[in-house]
Amino acid sequence: MDAVRRAISSPCIGICSLDGGRCRGCLRTGEEIAGWVRMSEPQRQHLMRDVLPARALEAGSLAAALPGHERLLRALNPLASAPTDKGWNYSELADLLPSGPPAEAAVLAGLVPRPQGVQVLLTRRTETLRNHGGQVGFPGGRIEPGDRNPVAAALRESSEEIALPHERVQALGYLDPFVTISSFRVTPVVAVIDPAFVPVPQPSEVAEVFEVPLDFLMDPDNLRQVEIDHRGRVRHVLEYTWPGQRIWGATAAILYNLRRRLEQTP
């Protein structure tokens, strides 16, 4: 039975709680969940690609409060099918990565609708962490065996790192995977976060939570390329300069990927 379940497409993101007759995580009705296995694959795909996204944009949803949400949804890979490619930057690092598959990770690229404009929620990692201590990034981490998909992993990590409740966030879709020099394949999950949410950093992991205007991060003039030396080889990485913070490396590259996808979406 487990093998059958794995073979069937599903929009489930691991938040399984009926609210008003619909699942708070995947937005299916109880009847649709109960009859999912008996549906044909075209019926399931129609629900995932057409019906469920429309429900997400109904009045009162978090996504509806985000300016330009319809274009953003078109720009993203759909939640129904997490991208499986090696990573859009894989060819640049192929000769530097260790043999074997990279570790799988997911991060939450959270957008917060504010009166002054949409903000991007970022964290600065605690200095004492073994990996990337002191660096700016998105909430997230390694995908664990119990995580149903990258969305579930990103939401779990965000809950652990900044106490983000599941009811205060709505996942919208995926950006393209990104491979890090530390051999992680990172799948970014773009989501809208309730502006009423107040982060509570887990001090062992997160030193600070802050926001940066999306407009600033989407402006090509604010992104530059810098040279770093890695194992005696010059590499070029992306970097934003924001007062008091250095936003660079994988985080800057993920934001660049978001900008490029939006630029290519009418």
Side-chain angles (χ1 to χ4, degrees):
M1 185 62 180
D2 287 342
V4 172
R5 285 198 186 101
R6 285 195 295 271
I8 293 175
S9 302
S10 172
C12 180
I13 60 173
I15 304 174
C16 303
S17 174
L18 288 179
D19 182 9
R22 292 180 183 173
C23 175
R24 187 159 49 82
C26 68
L27 301 180
R28 288 179 294 176
T29 66
E31 291 79 8
E32 288 166 345
I33 294 171
W36 196 255
V37 175
R38 296 190 299 273
M39 292 182 189
S40 67
E41 184 61 17
Q43 287 174 319
R44 287 190 288 265
Q45 290 297 325
H46 169 64
L47 275 166
M48 289 190 294
R49 297 184 184 278
D50 302 317
V51 177
L52 299 182
R55 288 178 186 170
L57 296 177
E58 290 176 354
S61 75
L62 285 174
L66 195 67
H69 55 263
E70 293 180 345
R71 176 168 170 251
L72 176 60
L73 279 172
R74 292 195 301 271
L76 300 174
N77 295 302
L79 289 176
S81 52
T84 58
D85 54 283
K86 291 183 177 180
W88 61 267
N89 65 322
Y90 177 81
S91 61
E92 301 172 17
L93 300 180
D95 61 331
L96 296 174
L97 296 172
S99 59
E104 295 292 333
V107 297
L108 190 80
L111 307 179
V112 187
R114 303 271 186 208
Q116 69 271 30
V118 177
Q119 308 289 305
V120 177
L121 187 144
L122 295 167
T123 68
R124 183 170 58 81
R125 293 168 63 83
T126 302
E127 296 282 351
T128 54
L129 286 173
R130 183 178 63 180
N131 292 323
H132 310 295
Q135 293 187 11
V136 169
F138 297 106
R142 186 187 295 265
I143 297 177
E144 301 293 348
D147 295 322
R148 185 179 294 270
N149 52 31
V151 174
L155 293 178
R156 175 184 53 76
E157 288 282 347
S158 298
S159 175
E160 294 172 0
E161 292 182 10
I162 60 173
L164 177 61
H166 289 165
E167 63 269 18
R168 296 285 191 180
V169 59
Q170 181 180 348
L172 302 177
Y174 295 107
L175 290 172
D176 301 311
F178 181 86
V179 179
T180 69
I181 196 65
S182 52
S183 194
F184 280 88
R185 177 184 175 271
V186 181
T187 302
V189 179
V190 177
V192 56
I193 295 176
D194 188 340
F197 164 64
V198 179
V200 181
Q202 167 53 252
S204 64
E205 296 187 69
V206 177
E208 182 183 1
V209 182
F210 63 99
E211 296 178 3
V212 178
L214 178 64
D215 285 348
F216 174 88
L217 297 168
M218 295 297 100
D219 186 339
D221 292 338
N222 294 325
L223 183 64
R224 65 189 183 118
Q225 196 174 76
V226 297
E227 291 185 354
I228 63 170
D229 180 80
H230 181 77
R231 302 178 191 169
R233 169 177 156 181
V234 173
R235 289 189 56 230
H236 294 89
V237 298
L238 299 173
E239 179 181 39
Y240 294 90
T241 301
W242 182 252
Q245 306 290 352
R246 185 189 183 202
I247 306 169
W248 71 291
T251 304
I254 288 169
L255 290 163
Y256 168 75
N257 182 234
L258 173 59
R259 191 191 92 204
R260 292 295 295 143
R261 292 190 72 92
L262 284 171
E263 288 174 342
Q264 296 165 10
T265 303

